[in-house]
Amino acid sequence: AQSVTQLGSHVSVSEGALVLLRCNYSSSVPPYLFWYVQYPNQGLQLLLKYTTGATLVKGINGFEAEFKKSETSFHLTKPSAHMSDAAEYFCAVSFSGYSTLTFGKGTMLLVSP
Amino acid sequence: SQTIHQWPATLVQPVGSPLSLECTVEGTSNPNLYWYRQAAGRGLQLLFYSVGIGQISSEVPQNLSASRPQDRQFILSSKKLLLSDSGFYLCAAEVIANYEQYFGPGTRLTVT
């Protein structure tokens, strides 16, 4: 069975600081990996995805993530946090696109001035 | 591009009352459709998914049901709500070609 673990239910950074949100997965077959962002009382918006090919993927709003098979990780980063990045972030995995998504429990990103 | 509509946006219902939440999709044909529930601190729980009209798979046994009467319409129902049914309900549509799920704005359900 596939699963996703997001380390840290809350992450606090200062504006301008590096953002690092951690995601580890378990999957017996090559995974498809996703990061979504959710602003309060809204639906989820896709930030980026990894399916095949280049392991460093770039998404919207300056975020990127790197698929590391040896570490079973797909951490989300952004070089410089903005106040507008404050939201909840979800990592998700599927079995090569042909199965339902399994989501992590989410990480709330707090950005202070 | 795909647009997912959900209504109502918020709902307050007493225990034991019926429920009907509707989701409609624009901009794509024959999508896979999903209902999720989000409770505080518990992430997203997949409730139902559908790969076509009349085809419903249930992930979690409960007093909820789902139906897909049309290609781009997905309905979540209950005959009698429980307190534990409170939460934020999200509908999603998957564009099969690119494996991406697009989410609606959600319905906040409070059962009192």
Side-chain angles (χ1 to χ4, degrees), chain A:
Chain A
Q2 57 196 18
S3 66
V4 177
T5 301
Q6 292 184 239
L7 297 178
S9 59
H10 291 78
V11 170
S12 295
V13 300
S14 299
E15 193 172 19
L18 171 72
V19 175
L20 171 61
L21 304 182
R22 298 178 185 274
C23 173
N24 289 88
Y25 69 91
S26 67
S27 174
S28 57
V29 298
Y32 282 20
L33 296 159
F34 306 80
W35 275 101
Y36 284 86
V37 61
Q38 184 181 32
Y39 298 98
N41 293 311
Q42 294 186 25
L44 277 69
Q45 180 183 9
L46 181 66
L47 276 177
L48 49 80
K49 68 178 182 183
Y50 167 79
T51 54
T52 59
T55 57
L56 180 64
V57 293
K58 296 184 183 298
I60 62 172
N61 302 339
F63 284 93
E64 62 181 37
E66 186 172 11
F67 169 57
K68 292 187 176 180
K69 183 178 179 180
S70 62
E71 299 177 8
T72 62
S73 69
F74 191 57
H75 302 330
L76 182 70
T77 60
K78 182 175 180 178
S80 177
H82 293 182
M83 296 296 291
S84 59
D85 295 326
E88 190 160 22
Y89 293 79
F90 292 92
C91 182
V93 64
S94 71
F95 282 132
S96 300
Y98 292 104
S99 70
T100 58
L101 283 175
T102 298
F103 284 86
K105 291 189 175 183
T107 297
M108 185 67 72
L109 176 65
L110 307 170
V111 183
S112 57

Side-chain angles (χ1 to χ4, degrees), chain B residues 36-105:
Chain B
Y36 294 90
R37 179 169 60 201
Q38 190 174 24
R42 297 188 61 184
L44 278 81
Q45 180 186 31
L46 177 63
L47 302 176
F48 301 95
Y49 68 96
S50 171
V51 299
I53 296 174
Q55 299 179 64
I56 308 295
S57 296
S58 173
E59 290 292 303
V60 181
Q62 59 214 328
N63 68 318
L64 300 173
S65 62
S67 62
R68 185 172 178 175
Q70 300 180 44
D71 180 47
R72 288 176 285 181
Q73 184 185 27
F74 204 23
I75 297 172
L76 182 70
S77 304
S78 174
K79 292 182 179 178
K80 289 186 177 181
L81 284 168
L82 306 174
L83 285 174
S84 57
D85 292 324
S86 294
F88 192 50
Y89 288 81
L90 289 161
C91 177
E94 182 178 32
V95 177
I96 298 171
N98 63 17
Y99 312 113
E100 295 179 10
Q101 289 192 19
Y102 297 86
F103 284 78

